[in-house]
């Protein structure tokens, strides 16, 4: 039983409720499986709205239901590319804060990478080594880290 001041429980989001978020999360889960195979897939959880008439708040969560950071706004993505960028950011925040690790890591520099649009393709970008070990570079398209386990 929960106390009256406790927030309501988040519910698992069913496939198809948020098609752009679903598709983006499937792409991110490819990279998660390739780089953190011991971690279960990320999933979407929804919290009821704070006030009547507002949309529910959808979060990118770990397989165990834990998440961190802001929520995804249902009306925000204009297209699948924008949805992928938003979900990539939310996924990284959840992984970093809940698992206490940068994700994904560049195998060459052992640094966390960030999603960046490169000529219309969302890609994992590494800043390179600040100590002269190499310049920043694109490692792979988001969703394509499976073939890049080593430098």
């Amino acid at each position: 039983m929960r106390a009256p001041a406790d927030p309501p429980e988040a519910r698992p989001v069913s496939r198809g409720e948020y098609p752009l978020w679903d598709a983006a999360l499937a792409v991110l889960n490819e990279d998660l499986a390739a780089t953190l195979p011991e971690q279960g897939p990320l999933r979407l959880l929804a919290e009821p709205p704070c006030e009547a008439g507002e949309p529910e708040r959808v979060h990118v969560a770990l397989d165990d239901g834990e998440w961190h950071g802001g929520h995804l706004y249902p009306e925000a993505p204009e297209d699948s590319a924008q949805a992928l960028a938003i979900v990539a950011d939310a996924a990284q925040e959840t992984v970093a804060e809940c698992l206490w690790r940068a994700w994904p890591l560049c195998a060459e520099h052992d640094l966390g990478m960030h999603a960046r649009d490169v000529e219309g393709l969302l890609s994992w970008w590494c800043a390179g080594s600040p100590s002269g070990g190499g310049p920043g570079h694109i490692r792979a398209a988001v969703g394509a880290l499976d073939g890049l386990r080593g430098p």
Side-chain angles (χ1 to χ4, degrees), residues 46-61:
E47 288 184 295
C50 292
E51 296 182 24
E54 288 185 2
E56 63 186 353
R57 296 176 308 242
V58 178
H59 300 273
V60 174

Side-chain angles (χ1 to χ4, degrees), residues 60-76:
V60 174
L62 298 176
D63 191 41
D64 67 3
E66 186 178 5
W67 79 81
H68 190 275
H71 60 278
L72 308 175
Y73 293 90
E75 297 84 24

Side-chain angles (χ1 to χ4, degrees), residues 51-149:
E51 296 182 24
E54 288 185 2
E56 63 186 353
R57 296 176 308 242
V58 178
H59 300 273
V60 174
L62 298 176
D63 191 41
D64 67 3
E66 186 178 5
W67 79 81
H68 190 275
H71 60 278
L72 308 175
Y73 293 90
E75 297 84 24
E78 295 177 13
D79 56 31
S80 58
Q82 186 181 32
L84 182 57
I86 292 167
V87 172
D89 185 53
Q92 283 190 289
E93 187 168 0
T94 289
V95 169
E97 294 296 329
C98 295
L99 299 180
W100 290 91
R101 64 187 309 164
W103 176 81
L105 291 177
C106 172
E108 182 179 345
H109 296 107
D110 200 32
L111 295 173
M113 297 184 287
H114 296 281
R116 178 180 278 190
D117 184 302
V118 178
E119 298 176 10
L121 180 64
L122 194 65
S123 301
W124 291 118
W125 178 80
C126 169
S129 176
S131 61
H137 61 99
I138 298 301
R139 187 74 177 136
V142 171
L145 286 176
D146 60 342
L148 300 173
R149 296 187 191 267

